[in-house]
Amino acid sequence: MPDNRTIEAKSGVTLLDMARSTRVSIRTRCEGKAGCLMCKVQVAGEGISPPTAAERQKLGIDSSTGLRLACQAKITASGVCDLVVTVPEDPLKAAVRRQLQQQEDDELW
Ligand code: FES
């Protein structure tokens, strides 16, 4: 999400690596070292590793919120699983989308 794409992944792969292999953009600055917190995603479903100590420390949460660092969360399911990962929209892309929507709304009047 939000592009509503379905992706197949192998067990043990991080959500960040999975995203990169399928050209889903997740911004990072620390290259997967749990340092920048830019790779936050919302996860719903089963088949994902529990939060790492680094995630718990950095995010200050438990797994019940569904908030995860894509660079730390790994696929653990060995078969088919329904895991929904929502990637926040890139801020620049969101600004462009809002501007285009505003122009479209203005043209209607
Ligand atoms: S890539 Fe920086 S925290 Fe995940």
Side-chain angles (χ1 to χ4, degrees), residues 28 30 32 34-37 39 71:
T28 70
C30 73
C36 69
L37 306 181
C39 66
C71 67

Side-chain angles (χ1 to χ4, degrees), residues 89-106:
E89 189 173 31
D90 179 87
L92 179 59
K93 193 174 174 182
V96 170
R97 183 183 48 72
R98 283 193 301 270
Q99 188 68 34
L100 290 172
Q101 183 64 48
Q102 182 65 45
Q103 287 176 353
E104 192 175 302
D105 292 345
D106 291 345

Side-chain angles (χ1 to χ4, degrees), residues 7-61:
I7 297 170
E8 289 184 28
K10 291 181 180 175
S11 181
V13 174
T14 66
L15 296 180
L16 181 61
D17 288 340
M18 184 177 74
R20 286 180 171 166
S21 70
T22 56
R23 295 182 169 205
V24 172
S25 176
I26 296 179
R27 296 174 353 132
T28 70
R29 193 171 287 156
C30 73
E31 293 302 319
K33 297 183 177 80
C36 69
L37 306 181
M38 294 178 72
C39 66
K40 285 187 260 184
V41 295
Q42 191 73 35
V43 178
E46 302 292 324
I48 191 114
S49 62
T52 64
E55 280 183 284
R56 287 194 303 272
Q57 180 185 5
K58 296 282 184 177
L59 297 175
I61 56 159

